[in-house]
Amino acid sequence: MTVQNGANQVQELRGRLRQEQDRLRERYEQDGNALALLKGRTRLVDSVLDELWQSLEMPLECTLVAVGGYGRGELYPCSDVDLLLLVTEDTSPARESRLELLVSMLWDIGLEVGHSVRSPSQCVEEAYNDITVQTTLLEGRYLTGNRKLFETMASQLVQTCRAEEFFKAKLLEQAERYAKYNDTPYSLEPNCKESPGGLRDLHVIFWVARAAALGPHWRDLCKNGVVTPEETRQLIRAEQFLRQLRIRLHFLARRGEERILFDHQESLAAALGIKATSTKRASEVLMQRYYRNAKLVTQLNTLVLQNIEAQLFPQEQDSAFVLDEDFQVDRGLLDMRDNDLFAQKPTALLRCFLVLEQHPELKGMTTRTLRALWMERKRIDAAYRRDPAHRALFLELFQQKHLIHELRRMNQYDILGQYLPAFGHIVGQMQHDLFHIYTVDQHILQVVRNLRRFAMPDFAHEYPLCSRLMADFDRHWLLYVAALFHDIAKGRGGDHSRKGMVDARRFCQDHGIDADDIELVVFLVGNHLTMSAVAQKQDLSDPDVVTNFTTIVKTERRLAALYLLTVADIRGTSPKVWNVWKGKLLEDLFRMTLQHLRGNAVLPLAGSAARQDEVRQILRYHGLRPDIEAPFWRHLDGVYFLRHDAEEIAWHTRTLYYRAESPDPVVRARLNPFGEGLQVMAYCQDQPELFARLCGYFSRLGYSIVDAKIHTTRHGYALDSFVLLDAKEHLPYRDMVALIEHDLVEQLKTCPPLAPPTRGRLSRQVRHFPFEPKVEVRADERGNRFIISITAADRPGLLYGIARILGRHGVNLETAKIATLGELVEDTFLVSGPELGHTSTLVRIEQELLEALQT
């Protein structure tokens, strides 16, 4: 083939591909036949590849094989074309050159190709070493070239593939995939291909069925007794829904996007003909339909794989042994002894989960038990819930060590929602609050899981204080009950904490829980947001803050319980929300409140004298002679010693004791001694808009400020401390220390004009779920300072813009609490200044802040 002929053919094939793919899309838009689209694109690419292969006169010792999804005959609109170039063992430069030309031309005509070049023996070796390669080759489909070479490879693969080993490997691979997605299909932006409940769960069934020679189609599995006719229909419907979703997703994104991102959810709903209801957006209706489908797919995946396992690993009849009058163990699975067990003894609908908790060696339930459980779940009605025996049994579930797996299984098969209708209402309910990444029901189960981990020795190194508190907590199962109800009233409108208290009280009373324990659970549900709000928004150095919080919790038991629930709750929202700094704030509040409850009306270390004594011990440890700190400390007032801990004061003193009157700025940075991030101290003669200048500098470096302590000394110097985090991990923190110390000094020396705030790029979640910002300005309890509370969607440069407005009005910033909850910020500033005494000034500041947050 000449160069000119090759260029002409590329142009012709490229045009034909585009034209035919457009025609396939038009036909799909008309009839909505997903399978016809997938098969049509497969045939189109087959014909193009064959034509190109023939025109290039490829060597006879080569074969072109379709693998992966393309080999399966399911080529989605923007999916890669996976190819195996099968060759003989011998090599030649001419053949290599021709293969390179083929691949190059495939890309030139517009196909995104994934390819490998192997001989049959290499294929077998790779398949033996890598289960993913073996799976891909199992779906191999001959396209063109040397057919005998393909048949040789196929026969060798069949001979070397052991169905039993393949099954075990795919089961392990699926478990690892599930773990990657936190074992839940209910994230707010799921992957419709890879997440639990996605297409990959159906592919796994096909792969192991093919390896076990049970057939490549759903009806083949039905004929072989693996699935029932009803399950066959469910599998076909579930697969059709996922195919439609993935096709539409590819068309909308114009690439091989598999995640159902917020960007696409409304458009997807419209493309699938899903409309909004009076209470839900179209996207929410779509996602609830997706979650229901995902739940069905995971259920069927479990059932089908168990049935295939039973055929691959036949057991002798006497391998089953009796547990009790209702249940036996079969192949390591809980099995009902009577097919009519749940109909004859409805109590077993709950007791089966208790048995699994008490026998953690069991892997789950047999297929027939799961099928019966699903079919009979509606027997859990109002009369069932009123039965004292059932209530006692349900409560006993929470008192076992192995709760989490069974709670999830109860939710998976709708038993939990049937027994607690309020829980059933929040299954699959999305949360558009900018920081939760799971549906409400899954978040609740994550919180219960986190609490359970506090009670497990294996996690004591990760949660030392929580683990110690949980070990000392009497009847810690009450915390699981509180967690179950803490968000159960979401979506009903109004304060979900207050409404959840009503549900929790009724549940506890109905289930015979002691009066004191009822009050504990109700208190936790009603106040599950309180401790986080106090720790992150209020000034913990103010004794009144801790005193007021103490009056809320009242007892050490309540304090410990609320701390445990708060940590579990925050960690159960999103990986972005929790950080070491939040952990420290909560722990500080816990310890200070605990001391106050134990009779210390004046908190230890709250008085400056006690704090100074502790600092002096640290200074002596570092070799500083006695009283060397005195000249510097004369410039510091009691508020400074209240607001900074001893270690931080010692750091400041070691840096500044010999340069309290320094004409030049002093900047020091270090790794945060309390956890992740950097701690930066800036010391200089006070200057206008200093806080804004510092915020702007840190923002340009890409850092988030998670804490700021602003102090002005008696002789007019600013002593400001910051804790910084780098969410995107641009550079190791240690590498930034010298840069910050040098560059920030230059900034403070030269005081260049403040740059205008940059309009940072909003996150996808903020763009699609806009949040109405809130600004509140109120006087503190003494009336001489003001608290500015800001809640808004996060974006780059936000804090810098706020700081500029405060600086413009001559506001003295005393401290700042910076709380980031996923994509939401809740910042609190303690400010003072003569102008704040005028109502007009306060209104103007509030208006300017709102305007800045909305633009």
Side-chain angles (χ1 to χ4, degrees):
M1 176 186 290
T2 65
V3 173
Q4 184 61 43
N5 288 341
N8 290 339
Q9 186 179 25
V10 165
Q11 187 174 359
E12 189 274 326
L13 289 176
R14 188 180 185 91
R16 196 213 307 176
L17 259 179
R18 187 183 302 113
Q19 185 178 21
E20 291 297 322
Q21 288 183 147
D22 289 344
R23 187 174 293 117
L24 285 169
R25 180 171 182 174
E26 289 174 9
R27 191 178 303 140
Y28 171 73
E29 297 288 358
Q30 293 172 0
D31 61 23
N33 191 328
L35 188 58
L37 175 70
L38 302 182
K39 297 296 183 184
R41 185 166 186 247
T42 299
R43 287 193 296 270
L44 171 61
V45 174
D46 284 356
S47 65
V48 168
L49 291 177
D50 183 64
E51 181 176 332
L52 192 58
W53 186 275
Q54 303 306 329
S55 66
L56 288 175
E57 299 177 351
M58 295 298 292
L60 294 176
E61 66 270 20
C62 298
T63 305
L64 190 62
V65 180
V67 294
Y70 179 37
R72 209 167 43 243
E74 298 177 2
L75 204 49
Y76 284 81
C78 298
S79 290
D80 291 350
V81 177
D82 293 324
L83 296 171
L84 168 64
L85 298 169
L86 198 59
V87 297
T88 54
E89 298 286 350
D90 57 306
T91 60
S92 69
R95 187 178 76 186
E96 298 300 318
S97 174
R98 193 57 60 91
L99 290 174
E100 290 176 6
L101 177 60
L102 171 68
V103 173
S104 175
M105 292 183 72
L106 289 175
W107 280 96
D108 290 343
I109 65 177
L111 292 177
E112 295 190 15
V113 177
H115 77 284
S116 59
V117 182
R118 296 191 183 103
S119 67
S121 62
Q122 288 174 327
C123 287
V124 172
E125 183 179 356
E126 288 289 330
Y128 179 80
N129 294 323
D130 189 335
I131 189 64
T132 304
V133 174
Q134 185 176 5
T135 305
T136 301
L137 293 176
L138 270 177
E139 297 182 305
R141 179 169 57 87
Y142 171 80
L143 291 174
T144 187
N146 189 331
R147 182 178 287 274
K148 185 176 181 181
L149 200 61
F150 172 77
E151 291 172 349
T152 299
M153 179 203 70
S155 64
Q156 290 178 356
L157 277 175
V158 170
Q159 292 171 11
T160 57
C161 178
R162 293 182 55 83
E164 297 85 355
E165 294 177 1
F166 183 82
F167 177 87
K168 291 178 180 179
K170 296 311 290 185
L171 219 57
L172 179 60
E173 185 181 68
Q174 178 169 283
E176 292 172 349
R177 175 169 57 86
Y178 276 28
K180 179 181 176 182
Y181 293 96
N182 291 315
D183 292 302
T184 177
Y186 303 104
S187 66
L188 299 188
E189 293 184 309
N191 186 310
C192 69
K193 179 183 177 184
E194 298 289 344
S195 290
L199 277 165
R200 188 62 81 209
D201 279 12
L202 301 178
H203 297 160
V204 170
I205 295 173
F206 277 129
W207 292 331
V208 296
R210 186 187 290 264
L214 293 171
H217 303 292
W218 296 125
R219 288 189 169 83
D220 295 326
L221 297 184
C222 187
K223 290 177 184 176
N224 286 301
V226 178
V227 292
T228 66
E230 174 58 25
E231 288 165 352
T232 303
R233 289 189 288 271
Q234 290 175 334
L235 284 163
I236 292 172
R237 285 197 300 269
E239 184 178 46
Q240 287 173 344
F241 174 76
L242 288 171
R243 281 174 172 169
Q244 296 279 13
L245 195 65
R246 191 181 179 200
I247 288 170
R248 294 290 184 181
L249 199 51
H250 280 206
F251 282 147
L252 283 171
R254 299 181 181 179
R255 55 189 167 86
E257 179 62 79
E258 316 297 354
R259 297 166 299 164
I260 311 177
L261 301 175
F262 294 124
D263 311 51
H264 306 310
Q265 288 177 7
E266 280 291 332
S267 300
L268 269 177
L272 293 169
I274 296 173
K275 300 185 183 301
T277 69
S278 59
T279 58
K280 293 179 181 176
R281 302 164 59 169
S283 60
E284 292 180 282
V285 178
L286 164 70
M287 294 310 297
Q288 281 206 312
R289 189 175 299 180
Y290 173 83
Y291 296 134
R292 286 196 297 268
N293 195 80
K295 176 185 279 193
L296 177 64
V297 169
T298 53
Q299 289 173 355
L300 292 171
N301 173 275
T302 300
L303 293 175
V304 177
L305 291 182
Q306 281 188 11
N307 282 344
I308 294 176
E309 183 178 20
Q311 294 199 22
L312 288 176
F313 304 93
Q315 302 288 324
E316 297 295 331
Q317 188 64 33
D318 59 5
S319 65
F321 62 89
V322 174
L323 273 180
D324 56 36
E325 61 179 0
D326 296 329
F327 296 106
Q328 61 188 3
V329 176
D330 184 13
R331 300 185 307 278
L333 300 169
L334 185 69
D335 185 41
M336 56 185 186
R337 298 180 63 190
D338 185 341
N339 285 332
D340 296 326
L341 172 64
F342 297 132
Q344 299 297 324
K345 292 184 177 181
T347 301
L349 287 166
L350 290 178
R351 202 172 76 80
C352 62
F353 297 101
L354 180 63
V355 173
L356 282 172
E357 286 182 334
Q358 294 170 341
H359 295 273
E361 71 278 6
L362 298 180
K363 298 178 293 184
M365 300 183 193
T366 60
T367 300
R368 72 169 184 151
T369 306
L370 288 174
R371 282 174 175 156
L373 189 70
W374 176 254
M375 294 295 293
E376 302 292 342
R377 70 190 188 284
K378 298 290 187 181
R379 291 183 179 275
I380 302 178
D381 55 14
Y384 187 100
R385 298 180 204 111
R386 287 195 296 268
D387 189 314
H390 297 156
R391 289 176 171 179
L393 190 55
F394 186 78
L395 214 56
E396 192 176 354
L397 290 170
F398 286 82
Q399 300 172 30
Q400 308 300 311
K401 289 184 177 180
H402 303 279
L403 168 66
I404 303 306
H405 287 302
E406 300 322 310
L407 265 188
R408 285 179 171 161
R409 204 188 313 270
M410 290 172 74
N411 189 37
Q412 178 75 3
Y413 289 91
D414 281 351
I415 301 299
L416 191 55
Q418 285 292 126
Y419 189 84
L420 291 175
F423 190 90
H425 294 154
I426 49 95
V427 170
Q429 181 176 312
M430 298 184 72
Q431 304 190 75
H432 298 155
D433 53 16
L434 300 182
F435 55 91
H436 282 90
I437 64 168
Y438 301 113
T439 56
V440 181
D441 59 315
Q442 292 304 304
H443 164 67
I444 287 175
L445 295 182
Q446 288 284 101
V447 175
V448 178
R449 182 206 69 168
N450 291 342
L451 286 168
R452 174 67 194 124
R453 286 186 171 183
F454 297 159
M456 299 169 66
D458 291 350
F459 294 93
H461 67 286
E462 188 174 351
Y463 318 106
L465 177 57
C466 291
S467 297
R468 189 162 65 250
L469 291 175
M470 188 65 100
D472 294 337
F473 199 91
D474 184 34
R475 299 186 299 285
H476 60 252
W477 57 270
L478 292 166
L479 301 180
Y480 307 150
V481 175
L484 191 66
F485 282 90
H486 84 285
D487 276 352
I488 205 167
K490 279 197 169 180
R492 299 187 205 167
D495 186 342
H496 75 277
S497 299
R498 299 298 107 184
K499 293 186 176 182
M501 291 172 69
V502 176
D503 289 353
R505 184 178 296 278
R506 184 184 304 117
F507 171 88
C508 291
Q509 290 173 343
D510 289 346
H511 288 73
I513 295 177
D514 292 342
D516 288 345
D517 290 340
I518 290 177
E519 294 309 314
L520 173 67
V521 171
V522 172
F523 164 79
L524 292 174
V525 173
N527 291 276
H528 69 272
L529 300 175
T530 302
M531 191 170 193
S532 175
V534 172
Q536 297 182 54
K537 295 182 181 181
Q538 298 187 36
D539 184 3
L540 298 188
S541 65
D542 184 347
D544 289 343
V545 170
V546 179
T547 300
N548 292 338
F549 182 68
T550 304
T551 62
I552 294 174
V553 295
K554 291 185 173 63
T555 68
E556 290 187 25
R557 187 168 190 246
R558 280 189 173 189
L559 173 64
L562 186 57
Y563 174 75
L564 290 167
L565 180 59
T566 303
V567 174
D569 190 16
I570 296 176
R571 295 185 77 110
T573 54
S574 162
K576 291 182 179 180
V577 172
W578 179 263
N579 58 48
V580 174
W581 184 248
K582 284 189 178 71
K584 181 181 184 299
L585 290 175
L586 287 171
E587 187 170 334
D588 285 349
L589 178 57
F590 169 80
R591 294 187 184 282
M592 295 164 76
T593 307
L594 182 63
Q595 291 301 317
H596 200 29
L597 286 168
R598 290 177 176 176
N600 296 291
V602 178
L603 302 177
L605 307 183
S608 59
R611 181 68 55 86
Q612 289 174 11
D613 288 342
E614 185 181 6
V615 175
R616 289 188 182 98
Q617 293 180 17
I618 298 174
L619 294 176
R620 302 297 88 80
Y621 173 80
H622 284 282
L624 272 69
R625 67 176 184 272
D627 296 327
I628 200 169
E629 69 278 355
F632 173 57
W633 283 9
R634 277 199 298 269
H635 301 300
L636 304 175
D637 56 23
V639 173
Y640 170 83
F641 289 96
L642 287 171
R643 288 203 176 127
H644 297 76
D645 61 46
E647 202 281 334
E648 193 174 19
I649 296 170
W651 180 47
H652 292 172
T653 304
R654 287 160 49 210
T655 304
L656 301 172
Y657 73 89
Y658 59 95
R659 42 185 167 183
E661 311 279 351
S662 173
D664 294 326
V666 178
V667 175
R668 285 291 178 268
R670 64 176 182 172
L671 297 180
N672 183 11
F674 308 112
E676 183 185 4
L678 282 173
Q679 193 173 26
V680 178
M681 176 202 73
Y683 181 76
C684 65
Q685 295 181 36
D686 204 4
Q687 56 183 259
E689 300 186 304
L690 175 61
F691 181 65
R693 187 176 305 284
L694 293 169
C695 289
Y697 176 75
F698 297 139
S699 177
R700 288 193 296 275
L701 291 181
Y703 285 116
S704 297
I705 299 172
V706 297
D707 187 62
K709 294 176 183 174
I710 314 302
H711 187 76
T712 303
T713 67
R714 287 175 171 144
H715 66 317
Y717 274 69
L719 176 51
D720 299 345
S721 299
F722 299 85
V723 176
L724 311 176
L725 288 179
D726 178 9
K728 296 183 179 178
E729 300 179 355
H730 295 92
L731 285 173
Y733 290 115
R734 191 180 299 278
D735 295 350
M736 295 297 294
V737 168
L739 174 69
I740 291 173
E741 291 181 343
H742 176 272
D743 286 4
L744 190 50
V745 166
E746 292 301 311
Q747 285 277 321
L748 298 178
K749 273 184 179 179
T750 58
C751 295
L754 293 177
T758 57
R759 177 62 175 168
R761 186 177 179 183
L762 295 175
S763 72
R764 290 181 299 99
Q765 192 166 351
V766 172
R767 289 201 307 272
H768 293 280
F769 300 110
F771 184 87
E772 189 67 26
K774 301 173 185 176
V775 177
E776 180 186 357
V777 182
R778 68 183 189 277
D780 69 359
E781 294 183 359
R782 295 187 180 91
N784 55 5
R785 295 179 299 178
F786 288 83
I787 298 170
I788 301 177
S789 300
I790 294 175
T791 304
D794 196 14
R795 59 178 168 82
L798 178 67
L799 186 58
Y800 175 53
I802 294 171
R804 288 199 66 190
I805 293 171
L806 298 179
R808 218 167 32 238
H809 288 279
V811 173
N812 299 320
L813 184 63
E814 298 190 20
T815 189
K817 288 280 188 180
I818 314 299
T820 303
L821 307 173
E823 306 295 340
L824 188 71
V825 295
E826 295 182 349
D827 297 344
T828 306
F829 305 93
L830 184 66
V831 299
S832 61
E835 291 298 315
L836 295 179
H838 304 293
T839 302
S840 59
T841 303
L842 294 176
V843 171
R844 193 160 53 250
I845 291 174
E846 187 172 343
Q847 289 174 338
E848 289 183 20
L849 287 172
L850 278 172
E851 184 179 346
L853 297 173
Q854 289 171 334
T855 56

